Amino acid sequence: MIDDIANIVNISDEFNNKFIRCRITYDKYSIKVQYFDYIPKNIQSFKLIECNDIDYTYKYDDRDLLNDLLSKKGDCDEIIIIKNGLVTDCSIGNLLFLKDDIWYTPNTPLLKGVQRSYLLDVGKIHLTTIHKNDICQYKKVMMINALNAFDENRVVLIKNIKE
């Protein structure tokens, strides 16, 4: 059991002045901590990918299915995963969609991320059902995750989503 996460995270001096990602992997018997340089992904386009079998309710170490789906992106930068006709997430985070100056997030995410939860809690975004065929009703899309907060400088125009 983790009583205090601060006792297991030890960021060395080699990471000073760097943006890093800390991955904590655990099971019933052990905890493993890893550190990586973090380079934000520049997303300018999305490809719609359908997968009705995906389940990512919890953040898993095994990303084989996500990586397989991502390999189908063609010349796009990232994917939007469609499950049973509904928009879920992309391979690295939750999605926000802009319509009529209001930001929405699908109520069918694969993973209820911390940034998404925070934005919902403070009322900056709103839940809605987004069908694959309804994407064209929105103006912009933005990926968010724990390392990519809400930032309108990172939006992608809906016209840059390919089927």
Side-chain angles (χ1 to χ4, degrees), residues 64-77:
D64 289 345
L65 178 55
L66 288 171
N67 291 335
D68 180 54
L69 295 175
L70 187 61
S71 73
K72 299 173 183 175
K73 68 182 175 67
D75 62 353
C76 292
D77 300 313

Side-chain angles (χ1 to χ4, degrees), residues 41 49 58 74 119 133 137 144:
K41 190 172 184 178
I49 300 291
Y58 300 101
L119 293 170
N133 296 336
Q137 296 176 13
I144 57 166

Side-chain angles (χ1 to χ4, degrees), residues 18-113:
K18 288 185 176 182
F19 197 29
I20 62 163
R21 181 169 61 110
C22 174
R23 175 187 290 161
I24 301 172
T25 309
Y26 60 92
D27 61 23
K28 188 174 180 179
Y29 306 104
S30 65
I31 298 172
K32 180 171 135 185
V33 181
Q34 297 171 288
Y35 305 93
F36 306 93
D37 286 335
Y38 181 72
I39 301 166
K41 190 172 184 178
N42 183 16
I43 301 172
Q44 299 296 317
S45 60
F46 288 94
K47 168 110 176 157
L48 298 180
I49 300 291
E50 296 197 33
C51 181
N52 295 332
D53 303 330
I54 191 164
D55 178 13
Y56 202 70
T57 306
Y58 300 101
K59 197 161 192 167
Y60 301 112
D61 211 20
D62 179 359
R63 292 181 51 88
D64 289 345
L65 178 55
L66 288 171
N67 291 335
D68 180 54
L69 295 175
L70 187 61
S71 73
K72 299 173 183 175
K73 68 182 175 67
D75 62 353
C76 292
D77 300 313
E78 183 54 66
I79 61 173
I80 294 176
I81 301 166
I82 307 296
K83 181 176 181 178
N84 300 319
L86 300 173
V87 174
T88 63
D89 293 326
C90 68
S91 74
I92 58 170
N94 298 123
L95 296 169
L96 307 179
F97 292 83
L98 182 67
K99 179 166 71 171
D100 300 326
D101 295 321
I102 299 171
W103 284 98
Y104 297 93
T105 191
N107 59 9
T108 53
L110 297 175
L111 180 73
K112 294 179 180 177

Side-chain angles (χ1 to χ4, degrees), residues 85 87 97 99 129-138 158:
V87 174
F97 292 83
K99 179 166 71 171
T129 301
I130 304 176
H131 293 271
K132 173 186 169 184
N133 296 336
D134 295 339
I135 292 173
C136 61
Q137 296 176 13
Y138 294 84
I158 291 298

Side-chain angles (χ1 to χ4, degrees), residues 2-31:
I2 302 173
D3 293 324
D4 185 359
I5 200 164
N7 290 332
I8 63 168
V9 175
N10 183 13
I11 301 173
S12 72
D13 290 340
E14 74 179 278
F15 293 117
N16 281 347
N17 299 320
K18 288 185 176 182
F19 197 29
I20 62 163
R21 181 169 61 110
C22 174
R23 175 187 290 161
I24 301 172
T25 309
Y26 60 92
D27 61 23
K28 188 174 180 179
Y29 306 104
S30 65
I31 298 172

